[in-house]
Structure formats: C-alpha cells, structure tokens
C-alpha cells in the first residue's frame, strides 16, 4: 500500500455506493448545488442486470433529473400486462386468473405503471447526471476502510483505485452500499442499528435468477425449424416463446416469475424460480438443472401448431448473462440515521421480488433525503436529527404500503394450499364476469388515492393545512407558447424548472384564466416575505384547458409561468409519447382534486404537498413554518 497522504478533503456529503439509489441521491444533490463525493468499490458499472422493474413513481423521479427522453429508448420498455397464471404446467400462454394493466395511465403521475428496464443502462444515465454536475464527483474502485464522526463532521478513510489511503471530512455520510455494505455492517450495526424482519411478511427464501440474451432464429440459420413452413417470421417465433407480458407463475410445486426487460432490440429475458426445501441452491443454478426447470417452458407441444412433434426454441440462440441463487427477504432497519450517518436503499431495507419495489423504494429514499440534506448542509442551526427522523417516519409509512403490494403478489405466487388456490382462482374468475370489477382488479393499487402520510411529530408538512399528500403530475402547455403546435410538458418540469432556486414551490390552481390577475396581485403583495425556501416570484399557475380562450386573445407578457392542462390526445401526438403507449385513464383534473378546492399548494422537492391554502395571506404562516424547518 502506498503511503497515506496527510491532506484531508472537505465536502458536504459523502455517499458510499453508486448503485441506482446512490447515483440518484448524488444527482439530486447536484441539482441543489450540494457538493458530494460518491465512493464506489467497483471500477465500472456491472454488466449484470439485477433489478428489472420500475414503477411509475420511479419513472417520475428519473424524469425529474431530465432523463425522460432515455426512459423508453435505451433504458427500457413498458410492460403491457402482468399476468398471474395458476397450475402445474409449463405453458406461458395459459390464460391468467388475474391481469394487471400496466400500460394505462390511471395512476397520478402521467406515466405507465411499469417499466421493464435494463439496470446497467439506467445506472449509466444516472451517472451521466453526476458527471454533468459541477458539485458532484464519482470515484470508482474505492474501498471504505473506516468511518468516524464528531458533533460537526464525519471522517471517512478509503483506499482509492491505486491503493492509496485517502481521507475526507464531510457534513454527512450516506450509506447506499447495499445490504452487505460497510456503512451498516461495519459502522452502524456495532452502534445498535438492527436490520429487522418486516412485521407483516417474514419471508426468507432462495430463488435462482437467470438473465438470457436472445437472438432470433432465421430460415437461413435454422433451416429445419418447423414453424417456417407454417408462415411464421423470426419475430413471430420470438413472441411465441417469449411473450411480451410479464408472468407470475403460481405453480404450487415450483413458483416462478418471468418476462422480457430492457429495450426491445436487446431481447433480454428474466426467469426466476424458487429453490424448494431440501434442494441445493448452488446445484439448482447449474446448466443441468436449468435445462430441467426452465427449458420445458420453451418446448411447445406440436398440437399447438398442427404438428406431430414438439417444437423447441433453438438452444444456440440463448446466451446466459446470469444464473445464480439469491436469498430474498423482507427486512428493514429499526433506524435509518444515527448522528450524521444515514442509510438508504438496500442498506436500509430489502424486498422480495414480487412487487418490483426495490429500486423504486431506493429512489423515493434518495429524493426525499436529498432536500433534507440540502437544508442541513446550508444551515448551521438546522436540526438534522429532526429532519432525518421525519424522513424515516414518512418513508417507513410508504415502505409499508409498498410491502403490502409485495405481500399480495407474493401470497398469490407462493400459495401451496389446494383449497386456497381453488378458492382464489374461482373467486377471481367469477368477479371478473362483471366489467366494472374486472377493470378495478386490472388497475390494482393505482385506483387508490395518492400516497398520504399520517402525521407524526417531526414530519415535514403541515397537517392542519392538508399537507402530506403526494402531488399528482399531469400534462400541460405553457400559455406563452403561441406556436401552431405548442409543446406539451409534464407539470413537474414546469414547477421544478432548473432555472428556479427555491427548494419549495408554490402552485396556483385557477378555475379559469379570468382569475389570473387577482391571484398574481395576491402574491405580489407578499414578495417581501420570500426566502430561499419559498419564493412567490417562482409560482407556477395552472388553468383547465377548456377555460382558455383561443390563441392570441391574451397579451403574452401576462402569461409567463402560466400553464393549461393538455389532453391525452395532445400528449399522444407529442414527442413525449415516443416509445410508450398512448395514455389511457388519464384525468386532466387530478391537480384540482388533490387540492380539495384550495388555490395555493406548496410542494416539496420530493413532490409531496407541504401545505395548501385558500388565500395567499396564509402563505406567511407557511413561510414561518418553513423557516422553523430550515433553521
């Protein structure tokens, strides 16, 4: 080892780990101009796709970093449906007893319900945002060797890529280094932080997860393949053996999950199956056992095609990218912060794979922690322990909601009781005879109201002013855009535009454009009370699309910062809809519904409502509460 230098660097935040959670946290800190250094033990992004599912909240937070154009191009694709299939069989085309419609836009974000992504591509784009920000720095090939702290600083020692020991002092340290990372295992657990079993789901099982990269057989490469003479094209063959929808195979003998992921051109496929009691997890991941467990799903009876012999997908068109056992469990730490050291992502909580919530939960951790860190770093008097306690209490509630989704899916996949299976299948079959109930089931948890926190002391919102609710997102058009085909935007991108400086943003919801001048006058009277946390000058105004007169009837100078809603049809014809399904189930009035008739909504950087007011004069009360929070 080289001689240790005497120099100690100083920064605001050190982040241990640059997986999806650590990268997103760094990028959002960069947007807030908070200096941070990310220490990652690997030299490069792993090429092994691990997590493959991202829900609509996750898509929204990726969008918030300015990466939306990559979501449906090089990161992933929308999964049309998630199908739950019952029975002991190897037929991926068997009718499902329950379908989740993941391509509709019936949630509260304007996005589809599920993105099947390629994690290396997602991480690459997140790291690009780190490199782009002058306040962020990523250092690969670094291994943390010690952490210590006092009342003002956290001191980190690490070995860099050349084996030189280096030192950093930072205001805070965040461990995003996974469930076996140094921060929790070596530093916080000896100080009493415990990873505990989730109370509602004491799940601990081993599954084998494999990733395949596939190539198309063709009449030239496989001239004897029997489906060519029946008129099948290479794409038809691919669709037959690897259906586009995701599947939970609720097989009581061996539960499994499978589906495509990543950009369609990559032709990636995931298959996971349970290792039963008494089986060796290492042996179950061998090629011989994969042929026994997985290949039967790729062997179709000839009768399906009117042939006498079975039809099997060519084995030489399969490239194995990964095949290894994983221990899945549902656990969460009893504390996510101690002193100036914080845990997030898999370092703080782990999920089984049945809800696709692992990466999305880490993303929620990152954005809700980032603005609190920004406050703590900019103010010597801010109570960081209270900030982190409130963060933990909020995230714990949302984590329980995510866990509930995982439990529902996991119960269906893992059920082995014949009576329960019979009752489940026939009950769901009967219920779906009623169109309204069928649609309700297809939407699943997306039909619920936006996430709402139940207030506990320390949480960063005003319950007496209806705070603590996730603010929806809609499609909108700037009224100052007077072009023939105006540009459609997401409302988040208007509210949290990169040119704005305040951490919290004021949204003004008007019933018509006639109310605009009065609302602006109300805010103008409060300009002297603006702060770096809340500025009335940065307020964003929204009006319903149908209340706006034809183009050119209002002076453009009056419309700066004013937006109208956009219809689903307008979004579908815009560049934002490239690569994804046209919106279905989208509601233009979601912002107004969430505001419950209030005109002024104060939104936190993590898209949760801090408070709502009927009159601008109440904003002084909000500003005072924000001052208490920030100082």
């Amino acid at each position: 080892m080289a001689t240790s230098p005497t120099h100690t660097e100083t920064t605001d935040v050190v982040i241990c780990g640059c997986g999806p959670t650590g990268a997103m946290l760094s990028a959002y800190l960069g947007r807030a101009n908070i200096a941070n250094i990310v220490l990652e033990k690997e030299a490069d992004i792993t090429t092994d796709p691990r997590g493959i599912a991202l829900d609509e909240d996750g898509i929204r937070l990726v969008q918030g970093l300015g990466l939306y154009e990559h979501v449906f191009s090089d990161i992933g694709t929308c999964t049309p449906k998630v199908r739950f299939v019952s029975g002991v069989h190897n037929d991926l085309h068997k009718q499902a007893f329950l379908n989740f419609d993941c391509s509709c836009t019936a949630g509260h974000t304007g996005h589809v319900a599920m993105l099947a992504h390629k994690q290396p591509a997602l991480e690459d784009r997140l790291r690009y945002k780190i490199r782009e920000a002058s306040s962020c720095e990523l250092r690969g090939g670094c291994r943390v060797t010690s952490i210590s702290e006092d009342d003002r600083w956290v001191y980190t020692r690490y070995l860099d890529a050349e084996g030189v020991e280096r030192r950093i002092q930072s205001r805070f340290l965040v461990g995003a280094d996974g469930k076996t990372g140094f921060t929790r295992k070596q530093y916080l657990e000896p100080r009493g932080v415990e990873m505990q079993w989730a109370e509602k789901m004491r799940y601990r099982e081993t599954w084998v997860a494999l990733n395949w990269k596939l190539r198309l057989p063709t009449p030239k490469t496989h001239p004897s393949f029997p489906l060519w003479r029946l008129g099948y094209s290479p794409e038809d063959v691919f669709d037959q053996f690897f259906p586009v929808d995701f599947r939970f195979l609720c097989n009581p003998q061996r539960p499994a999950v499978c589906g495509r992921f990543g950009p369609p051109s990559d032709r990636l496929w995931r298959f996971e199956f349970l290792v039963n009691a008494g089986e060796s997890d290492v042996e179950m991941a061998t090629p011989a056992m994969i042929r026994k467990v997985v290949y039967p799903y790729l062997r179709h009876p000839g009768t399906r095609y009117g042939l006498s012999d079975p039809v099997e997908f060519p084995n030489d068109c399969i490239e194995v990218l990964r095949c290894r056992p994983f221990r899945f469990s549902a656990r969460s730490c009893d504390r996510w912060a101690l002193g100036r050291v914080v845990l997030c992502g898999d370092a703080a909580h782990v999920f089984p794979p049945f809800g696709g919530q692992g990466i999305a939960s880490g993303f929620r951790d990152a954005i809700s922690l980032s603005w609190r860190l920004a406050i703590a770093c900019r103010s010597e008097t801010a109570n960081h322990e209270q900030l982190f306690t409130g963060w933990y209490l909020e995230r714990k509630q949302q984590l329980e909601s995510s866990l509930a989704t995982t439990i529902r899916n996991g119960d269906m996949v893992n059920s082995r009781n014949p009576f329960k299976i019979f009752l489940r299948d026939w009950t769901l079959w009967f219920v779906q005879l009623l169109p309204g109930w069928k649609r309700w089931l297809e939407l699943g948890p997306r039909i619920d109201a936006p996430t709402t926190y139940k207030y506990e002391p320390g949480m960063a919102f005003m319950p007496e002013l209806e705070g603590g609710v996730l603010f929806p997102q809609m499609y909108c058009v700037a009224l100052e855009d007077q072009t023939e085909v105006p540009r459609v935007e997401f409302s988040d991108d208007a509210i949290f535009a990169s040119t704005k400086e305040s951490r919290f943003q004021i949204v003004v919801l008007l019933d018509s454009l006639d109310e605009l001048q009065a609302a602006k006058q109300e805010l103008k009277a409060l300009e002297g009370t603006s702060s770096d946390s809340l500025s009335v000058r940065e307020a964003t105004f929204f009006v319903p699309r149908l209340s706006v007169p034809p183009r050119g009837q209002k002076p453009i100078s009056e419309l700066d910062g004013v937006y109208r809603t956009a219809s689903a049809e307008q979004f579908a014809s815009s560049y934002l809809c490239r690569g994804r399904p046209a919106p279905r189930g989208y509601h233009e009035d979601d912002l107004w519904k969430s505001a419950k008739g209030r005109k002024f909504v104060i939104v936190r950087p993590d898209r949760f409502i801090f408070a709502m007011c009927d009159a601008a004069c109440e904003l002084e009360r909000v500003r005072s509460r924000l001052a208490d929070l920030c100082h």
Side-chain angles (χ1 to χ4, degrees):
M1 183 188 301
T3 303
S4 174
T6 58
H7 174 67
T8 298
E9 291 182 87
T10 299
T11 191
D12 287 326
V13 180
V14 166
I15 302 171
C16 296
C18 197
T21 300
M24 175 156 282
L25 175 60
S26 175
Y28 270 107
L29 287 175
R31 286 178 68 89
N33 293 316
I34 299 299
N36 65 91
I37 296 173
V38 187
L39 303 177
E40 167 56 44
K41 65 179 180 180
E42 302 296 336
D44 298 300
I45 297 172
T46 177
T47 58
D48 176 25
R50 289 157 291 172
I52 63 171
L54 194 63
D55 68 10
E56 60 186 304
D57 282 351
I59 300 172
R60 183 183 189 180
L61 299 183
V62 172
Q63 167 213 325
L65 290 174
L67 293 172
Y68 181 76
E69 64 181 297
H70 302 287
V71 169
F72 296 103
S73 55
D74 54 287
I75 293 178
T77 187
C78 170
T79 297
K81 289 186 178 181
V82 171
R83 300 180 182 271
F84 292 83
V85 183
S86 184
V88 180
H89 60 84
N90 302 114
D91 184 5
L92 296 182
H93 291 273
K94 184 179 178 182
Q95 184 175 356
F97 65 83
L98 177 63
N99 297 298
F100 287 157
D101 184 354
C102 296
S103 64
C104 73
T105 319
H108 307 282
T109 66
H111 292 303
V112 296
M114 178 177 168
L115 177 77
H117 66 87
K118 183 169 71 172
Q119 186 172 332
L122 174 62
E123 290 190 34
D124 181 63
R125 290 299 175 184
L126 291 173
R127 291 188 180 197
Y128 171 79
K129 302 305 292 188
I130 296 175
R131 295 190 296 269
E132 186 180 59
S134 59
S135 56
C136 305
E137 184 179 353
L138 168 60
R139 299 176 183 176
C142 297
R143 184 169 63 86
V144 175
T145 58
S146 75
I147 299 171
S148 60
E149 62 182 302
D150 57 28
D151 290 342
R152 297 190 66 235
W153 299 98
V154 181
Y155 304 95
T156 306
R157 291 178 180 264
Y158 71 96
L159 299 179
D160 67 12
E162 284 72 43
V164 176
E165 184 179 76
R166 300 191 179 277
R167 299 181 297 195
I168 308 176
Q169 64 177 20
S170 57
R171 300 285 302 281
F172 301 96
L173 180 142
V174 179
D177 44 355
K179 57 188 177 182
T180 61
F182 184 94
T183 309
R184 177 169 60 80
K185 297 295 290 184
Q186 303 299 319
Y187 183 69
L188 289 181
E189 285 190 0
R191 286 161 176 76
V193 174
E194 295 183 5
M195 178 70 91
Q196 299 177 335
W197 292 102
E199 294 179 4
K200 298 179 181 179
M201 188 179 186
R202 295 187 62 84
Y203 183 87
R204 187 175 185 179
E205 297 286 356
T206 298
W207 288 57
V208 171
L210 62 86
N211 291 331
W212 283 354
K213 183 175 178 60
L214 305 158
R215 63 182 179 87
L216 296 180
T218 67
K220 184 177 181 179
T221 60
H222 296 79
S224 62
F225 189 69
L227 296 187
W228 305 141
R229 63 177 183 266
L230 299 180
Y232 283 78
S233 69
E235 288 287 353
D236 294 335
V237 170
F238 184 68
D239 290 341
Q240 282 293 310
F241 285 90
F242 303 95
V244 66
D245 296 328
F246 213 81
R247 280 161 172 75
F248 285 87
L249 305 173
C250 308
N251 182 337
Q253 293 184 4
R254 191 180 300 279
V257 182
C258 66
R260 301 183 193 179
F261 67 99
S265 59
D266 284 3
R267 303 193 188 282
L268 300 173
W269 195 62
R270 165 69 58 86
F271 194 99
E272 298 177 358
F273 62 88
L274 176 68
V275 177
N276 286 318
E279 296 176 335
S280 164
D281 54 358
V282 175
E283 182 184 358
M284 294 305 296
T286 61
M289 294 309 298
I290 296 302
R291 283 193 293 271
K292 181 178 179 181
V293 174
V294 183
Y295 276 63
Y297 288 97
L298 308 180
R299 188 179 303 116
H300 294 173
T303 53
R304 174 177 292 176
Y305 307 101
L307 302 173
S308 56
D309 296 324
V311 181
E312 186 171 354
F313 188 80
N315 294 350
D316 60 350
C317 290
I318 300 171
E319 177 188 354
V320 179
L321 301 179
R322 166 216 262 181
C323 185
R324 54 175 291 195
F326 284 87
R327 174 76 72 171
F328 291 125
S329 59
R331 295 189 294 165
S332 175
C333 287
D334 58 345
R335 298 182 68 180
W336 294 6
L338 186 62
R340 291 181 173 269
V341 178
V342 188
L343 297 173
C344 65
D346 285 352
H349 49 76
V350 291
F351 279 87
F354 310 123
Q357 290 295 307
I359 291 180
S361 290
F363 282 0
R364 295 184 190 103
D365 291 348
I367 190 171
S368 55
L369 177 61
S370 64
W371 66 264
R372 289 172 166 93
L373 282 170
I375 290 174
C377 288
R378 285 184 174 143
S379 171
E380 291 289 342
T381 58
N383 187 335
H384 66 269
E385 292 186 353
Q386 179 177 310
L387 284 167
F388 298 155
T389 298
W391 169 70
Y392 167 72
L393 292 173
E394 290 182 2
R395 289 294 301 121
K396 187 171 182 289
Q397 288 187 17
Q398 201 168 19
L399 204 70
E400 290 174 352
S401 175
S402 298
L403 185 60
T405 299
T406 301
I407 290 171
R408 286 195 297 267
N409 293 348
D411 284 346
M412 286 190 286
V413 174
N414 293 294
S415 180
R416 300 198 176 197
N417 184 302
F419 175 74
K420 288 184 178 180
I421 292 172
F422 175 84
L423 187 63
R424 174 199 69 196
D425 292 357
W426 280 97
T427 299
L428 288 171
W429 174 83
F430 177 77
V431 167
Q432 291 179 80
L433 294 176
L434 305 172
W437 282 94
K438 183 173 186 284
R439 185 58 179 160
W440 180 80
L441 285 171
E442 287 179 341
L443 293 178
R446 305 188 78 206
I447 63 171
D448 298 336
T451 301
T452 302
Y453 293 137
K454 182 179 178 181
Y455 183 76
E456 297 179 47
M459 290 185 173
F461 60 87
M462 299 177 69
E464 69 274 22
L465 293 181
E466 305 289 345
V469 182
L470 184 64
F471 196 52
Q473 178 172 238
M474 66 176 190
Y475 315 135
C476 63
V477 169
L479 286 186
E480 64 178 348
D481 184 351
Q482 296 290 303
T483 57
E484 189 68 30
V485 183
R487 183 174 181 268
V488 177
E489 303 178 47
F490 289 107
S491 57
D492 280 4
D493 296 339
I495 298 168
F496 297 99
S498 59
T499 55
K500 296 184 178 182
E501 298 180 356
S502 297
R503 285 187 287 270
F504 295 76
Q505 288 295 320
I506 300 172
V507 175
V508 186
L509 300 175
L510 308 174
D511 292 327
S512 74
L513 204 55
D514 295 334
E515 301 174 0
L516 176 61
Q517 290 307 315
K520 284 194 170 186
Q521 288 301 317
E522 281 190 83
L523 291 178
K524 188 174 182 180
L526 297 172
E527 283 187 359
T529 66
S530 295
S531 66
D532 58 353
S533 295
L534 190 69
S535 171
V536 297
R537 293 181 179 180
E538 292 182 349
T540 311
F541 300 79
F542 292 98
V543 296
R545 172 175 54 91
L546 297 179
S547 72
V548 177
R551 285 188 308 119
Q553 293 189 8
K554 274 278 184 181
I556 295 178
S557 60
E558 297 181 13
L559 301 179
D560 181 37
V562 184
Y563 295 79
R564 65 162 176 82
T565 59
S567 67
E569 292 74 21
Q570 288 171 328
F571 179 87
S573 61
S574 75
Y575 76 101
L576 293 176
C577 202
R578 293 173 188 166
R580 56 151 283 177
R584 293 180 293 110
Y586 164 71
H587 302 288
E588 290 185 48
D589 60 349
D590 265 356
L591 297 191
W592 284 264
K593 285 182 178 178
S594 68
K596 301 178 181 177
R598 309 296 200 281
K599 182 185 296 184
F600 299 97
V601 182
I602 295 81
V603 187
R604 303 186 328 194
D606 57 0
R607 283 53 174 170
F608 275 83
I609 295 171
F610 182 81
M612 297 190 288
C613 309
D614 290 314
C617 60
E618 293 181 89
L619 290 176
E620 174 58 26
R621 180 180 169 193
V622 175
R623 190 206 63 78
S624 177
R625 185 69 67 86
L626 283 175
D628 293 341
L629 177 70
C630 298
H631 304 294

